[in-house]
Amino acid sequence: MHDVDLGWIRVFVEVVRAGSLSKAARLLNLTQPAISYQVRRAEEEFGQALLRRRHRGVEPTDAGARLYDILSRSVAQVDELAQRLREAGRKNELRVFTDYAFSGLRLIPRIHEFRDTHPEIDLQVVAAQHTDLSQLRAGDTAVVFGAATDFGPEAVLLMPETVVPVCAPGYGARDLGTAELIHLDGPQPLRWFDWQSYLTATGARHDQDRLRGNMRFNTYSLVIEAALAGQGVALGWRGLIDPLLLSGRLKAVGPELTAPGRGYHMLHGIPRNAATDCLHSWLLAIHRAPGS
């Protein structure tokens, strides 16, 4: 009696699974003679044929089928264990998809807080003008702007759309009727408050001709940069520009206006994992904390 040499196990399992020596050779990146040699070794170990050659491919004998039933489960369990051990040895890597405004004005200034609390997690921020949700993979997170009806029931409203007119402290206009207005352009119809909808909703005095002029940008970060530079009045999204108001770099010069159910929503790829849950808890905490 001697112990069975098990070096041929994966080859045998792949041959039975593929039903062909040549297909198994391609899957394992081996030559067909090497596959045939390993099968012969297995058959020598057991003293009988384990595969039956057919015109096209192979099939297991009764003994081969019994052996495959045992080995296929064992190989799958070993592969699963190896994958888990490899993942445990690596840092958790998370991707956050969002737009330039949220990443630049909200996420980047506070991302050190998450890194300090969770040094075991590597966070990659993927910013774009418009986030493509089809890019989300398992464990990914997206923070995107829109109405609740734009997303599925899993979406969580992080930051409702509340806007307030803002300008630099030294900007000289006395009211919105005489101010240079800074506009954010986008695909029509706009999915956010613009000056037309804001002024109409608040009943503020405005000149239609002035609304068609003044400065226009296609990126919200540039809108805020222009306001900081004293170029006019912008619609400030609360949550994004709150630190600038608290520091005195911007001042509010009109009433706030909120769009119920519209704002930045948090979505995630499926399935989630423990690292994703840590990120979601942090995002919720920084947006629900007083003065955040």
Side-chain angles (χ1 to χ4, degrees):
M1 293 289 292
H2 67 278
D3 292 335
V4 176
D5 182 352
L6 302 178
W8 46 266
I9 287 179
R10 184 175 294 279
V11 168
F12 176 75
V13 169
E14 290 299 336
V15 168
V16 176
R17 184 178 292 147
S20 164
L21 297 178
S22 59
K23 287 182 181 178
R26 288 196 297 272
L27 289 170
L28 296 172
N29 198 27
L30 296 172
T31 64
Q32 186 166 332
I35 295 291
S36 298
Y37 171 73
Q38 294 294 340
V39 171
R40 286 197 303 272
R41 283 184 58 201
E43 292 179 329
E44 289 171 1
E45 289 283 356
F46 287 91
Q48 58 183 290
L50 298 175
L51 295 176
R52 186 178 296 112
R53 276 67 176 176
R54 295 298 189 189
H55 176 61
R56 293 183 178 179
V58 296
E59 66 179 18
T61 62
D62 289 344
R66 292 164 61 190
L67 183 61
Y68 174 78
D69 183 56
I70 295 172
L71 296 183
S72 61
R73 285 177 284 143
S74 298
V75 168
Q77 290 170 354
V78 170
D79 287 344
E80 182 181 354
L81 175 61
Q83 180 66 22
R84 289 180 178 176
L85 292 176
R86 293 188 192 107
E87 291 177 351
R90 293 196 301 262
K91 266 193 169 185
N92 288 307
E93 297 179 354
L94 296 180
R95 298 191 301 172
V96 181
F97 291 81
T98 190
D99 58 30
Y100 296 124
F102 188 88
S103 61
L105 294 170
R106 188 59 174 170
L107 193 57
I108 300 304
R110 301 193 64 166
I111 201 170
H112 65 280
E113 299 174 11
F114 181 79
R115 295 178 62 190
D116 290 345
T117 307
H118 300 284
E120 77 284 2
I121 300 176
D122 282 341
L123 194 60
Q124 178 187 7
V125 179
V126 183
Q129 191 80 334
H130 303 289
T131 300
D132 180 3
L133 295 179
S134 66
Q135 297 182 71
L136 293 188
R137 300 195 303 255
D140 287 346
T141 297
V143 179
V144 289
F145 185 88
T149 53
D150 296 335
F151 313 113
E154 295 295 322
V156 176
L157 180 62
L158 275 184
M159 195 169 70
E161 184 190 10
T162 298
V163 298
V164 61
V166 294
C167 65
Y171 182 67
R174 290 176 294 177
D175 56 53
L176 294 180
T178 60
E180 296 291 328
L181 303 181
I182 306 173
H183 300 263
L184 175 63
D185 286 337
Q188 296 293 330
L190 294 178
R191 298 180 298 120
W192 53 79
F193 283 125
D194 62 357
W195 277 114
Q196 175 71 64
S197 57
Y198 172 85
L199 293 170
T200 299
T202 58
R205 182 175 62 85
H206 60 280
D207 184 336
Q208 292 294 328
D209 290 334
R210 291 180 58 77
L211 291 178
R212 289 190 287 269
N214 304 318
M215 285 176 293
R216 316 190 75 91
F217 299 95
N218 69 341
T219 302
Y220 189 67
S221 298
L222 296 179
V223 170
I224 297 304
E225 287 296 328
L228 288 168
Q231 301 299 316
V233 180
L235 283 177
W237 284 339
R238 298 303 306 262
L240 295 184
I241 52 90
D242 286 356
L244 299 173
L245 291 174
L246 289 172
S247 67
R249 296 182 64 195
L250 289 177
K251 66 177 181 179
V253 290
E256 290 186 358
L257 183 64
T258 298
R262 194 167 71 190
Y264 277 98
H265 290 75
M266 181 172 65
L267 300 91
H268 60 83
I270 297 174
R272 290 165 56 167
N273 54 41
T276 307
D277 289 339
C278 289
L279 175 61
H280 289 190
S281 296
W282 177 73
L283 286 171
L284 287 169
I286 67 171
H287 285 93
R288 293 177 178 174
S292 64

